[in-house]
Amino acid sequence: YEKTIRYFKPRENVDGAAINSFAAEIVKLYDPVKYKALIERGDAIEFINYTRNRQHFVPVIHVDEVTPGNPALDVLKGKIVILGTVDPNDLEDLHFTPFNKALAGRSKPDMNGAFIQANIVEMILAENYVNHVPWLVAFLVAVLLTYAAIIFNVFYFVEKHIWYHFFAKMLQLVFLIILVFVKLQLLRNWNLSLDES
């Protein structure tokens, strides 16, 4: 119950055989083209691009409502139906996700496994993946930023020695703020991650 669920493996090798994850197998049965696109990405681990929390998955139908002739079930025609517990008090199947309102400290897990699987299925079908910035681009940006920081530090150490320590700390803080801002904007606007794939 400690880790936030951010990633999933589309396939796992078991005794030499490739076994699909639950969500990947559902997509394979529902839309083989989208499944093929997932596999062709070639990523052993995919970042889950959550788009809905438990309140946005409707309808949630209780098992007692699944009876022949119930007109409420008509809404399920042509849809993927995931069976699972949705009790927000069932700690056996609650997990931490990025939707959790508590960023730090003790908090309760916020999403059942069925909703996590639904987010993964929805991401695959929409091909709404989080992609990674190519390592060469990230490397070149890191080199340029490091070079700029060295030039700044050398200049202030030689020319403004009295203020060097203050400006060096300010530079570190500004770089950190800019990098976090850029990372969040890339993820939010273009589904790009600076993290290693």
Side-chain angles (χ1 to χ4, degrees), residues 156-183:
Y156 267 95
F157 186 77
V158 172
E159 300 292 330
K160 314 272 187 187
H161 186 70
I162 294 175
W163 294 101
Y164 169 74
H165 295 289
F166 172 76
F167 281 111
K169 297 301 178 193
M170 287 298 104
L171 176 69
Q172 290 172 4
L173 179 62
V174 168
F175 266 13
L176 178 63
I177 291 170
I178 290 172
L179 287 175
V180 169
F181 177 78
V182 168
K183 182 175 177 177

Side-chain angles (χ1 to χ4, degrees), residues 12 32 120:
E12 186 77 52
I120 297 170

Side-chain angles (χ1 to χ4, degrees), residues 72-83:
L73 300 180
D74 290 345
V75 73
L76 301 179
K77 288 180 181 175
K79 305 282 194 309
I80 294 174
V81 178
I82 296 177
L83 303 178

